[in-house]
Amino acid sequence: MIRKGKVLVMLKIIAFAATISTLCCGSAMSAEVKKNNRIKLYPVPRSSVLKEKGYIVWGASMVQSEDGTCHLFYCRWKGALMDWCNGAEIVHATASNPLGPYEPQKAVLGPTKEGNNAWDGLSVFNPTVMRFDDKYYLYYSGSNGSNFPIINKDGSFKTSPNDTVITQRIGVAVADHPAGPWKRMKDPLIGLSKDGIGSHMCCNPTVTQTPDDRFMMIYKCSSGRPRGNSGGIYLTVAFSDSPAGPFKKTQQKILTHKDSRFPVEDPFVWRQDDKYYCVADDQRGDVSGEHGLILFESEDGMKWQKSTPFVLSRCQIAWADGQTEPVRNFERPQIWLKDGKPAVLFAAIRKGEDCFNLHIPLQALESDVTKMKLTK
């Protein structure tokens, strides 16, 4: 027979053990949630928008110089959204705060006098700016409007005006400071392959450094052929010992989907906590069920899986004043890393016929955001 005193002692021990177990489990769950929550989008201040009257403004990437100045590089052109293939240029803007507002300074890359005689002579677009060691690298896409032979009868992709989509290639400009001057290379960093998935188009590069001090580039490419004949638009990977190349192509598709010939585009890659992460645009909703930004992770940059959270944003803006606004396009994600962690996401937005850049605060900037005036 167990005495009453011993029963009370045993009950207290059991309760204490349960409490410890709950605390331990709770801590583990909190740590797991914190570990998995790589990106969290916060409401956007009304001042965190970049527009230019008379221009389509599309896609931006930012780097911070030693004095704390934020240097934004974005693409602009005149006309309609689909006119990016003719006359687009890359512009430098500055701000004292990563979220802006940004003040345009000058165009740093644009069409050249050589025109069709230069690989990027007609249009330059979709910039990504990075700092490696003591230099800055401005990666971009370019086109010269050359007319590659396209056999439309076999179902190959239609081309844009002057066949400029089919001639896209990837280049880089290098500078000692984000304000320039920028040295533009004569030849493309990634050209067209003789055959395979990158034989008709290569564009939209993103670059990060690997643990073994190499450089990994993920970019968009196409062979121009129908889906049933190795066709489609895909992402692929290339590696280099230097951020200025040469890059060696793997010719392997990544982030594919069995039911889509155009699964994702507009990648941005970075390395954090011993893994690679890549945010991309689910252009047609084939991967996640709806157009928006989605997140993947990888151990080696070649084999990818869904990350947590998987869906980062749909086509809508959550403003800091409490309003939520649907938009037509939410694309070109580029992330500024603060102390190696995502801090601001830059996105290209289309609302009706209005096209502009949006600067979205992430979890790492929460304390900074609360100090800002949230309305213009």
Side-chain angles (χ1 to χ4, degrees), residues 8-262:
L8 291 175
V9 172
M10 291 179 65
L11 289 175
K12 288 181 179 180
I13 292 174
I14 293 172
F16 178 74
T19 301
I20 292 299
S21 177
T22 301
L23 289 173
C24 290
C25 290
S27 298
M29 290 175 63
S30 298
E32 185 65 21
V33 170
K34 185 176 181 181
K35 180 180 178 182
N36 287 335
N37 195 12
R38 302 297 172 192
I39 301 182
K40 181 177 180 180
L41 276 63
Y42 279 78
V44 184
R46 290 281 182 176
S47 59
S48 294
V49 170
L50 177 61
K51 297 182 180 181
E52 275 200 81
K53 187 176 181 180
Y55 285 98
I56 297 292
V57 173
W58 198 253
S61 178
M62 190 272 280
V63 68
Q64 199 169 35
S65 55
E66 295 289 350
D67 63 358
T69 302
C70 301
H71 300 265
L72 188 75
F73 296 86
Y74 66 96
C75 183
R76 73 179 182 189
W77 63 90
K78 292 182 178 293
L81 181 60
M82 292 308 295
D83 293 330
W84 56 267
C85 52
N86 191 358
E89 60 184 1
I90 296 172
V91 181
H92 174 220
T94 58
S96 59
N97 190 295
L99 295 174
Y102 284 87
E103 183 67 29
Q105 301 299 320
K106 63 178 181 179
V108 294
L109 292 179
T112 66
K113 295 180 181 179
E114 290 82 3
N116 291 0
N117 293 323
W119 71 270
D120 56 352
L122 183 66
S123 192
V124 295
F125 43 92
N126 293 350
T128 267
V129 63
M130 301 294 296
R131 179 180 178 176
F132 297 117
D133 293 327
D134 59 347
K135 290 189 179 295
Y136 296 86
Y137 298 84
L138 182 57
Y139 300 95
Y140 65 96
S141 306
S143 177
N144 65 0
S146 298
N147 186 5
F148 279 71
I150 306 300
I151 306 175
N152 288 316
K153 291 182 179 180
D154 72 357
S156 56
F157 297 121
K158 293 181 180 179
T159 60
S160 66
N162 298 323
D163 300 298
T164 49
V165 168
I166 214 68
T167 64
Q168 295 174 85
R169 301 173 181 87
I170 293 169
V172 66
V174 185
D176 294 326
H177 189 276
W182 290 91
K183 183 179 180 181
R184 189 172 181 169
M185 293 189 175
K186 181 180 179 181
D187 298 318
L189 197 58
I190 297 286
L192 303 182
S193 304
K194 292 182 179 180
D195 52 34
I197 60 175
S199 56
H200 277 200
M201 176 185 71
C202 296
C203 63
N204 300 4
T206 175
V207 178
T208 192
Q209 196 162 8
T210 66
D212 58 356
D213 291 329
R214 292 191 301 162
F215 297 87
M216 180 177 74
M217 177 189 291
I218 296 178
Y219 60 96
K220 173 181 164 183
C221 64
S222 172
S223 67
R225 295 183 177 276
R227 176 185 173 188
N229 190 17
S230 300
I233 300 175
Y234 299 100
L235 299 186
T236 186
V237 186
F239 292 94
S240 174
D241 292 329
S242 165
F247 279 85
K248 184 177 181 181
K249 302 176 182 179
T250 64
Q251 294 282 40
Q252 295 185 36
K253 303 173 186 176
I254 63 169
L255 302 179
T256 58
H257 189 278
K258 62 183 180 65
D259 298 322
S260 178
R261 70 172 183 85
F262 187 8

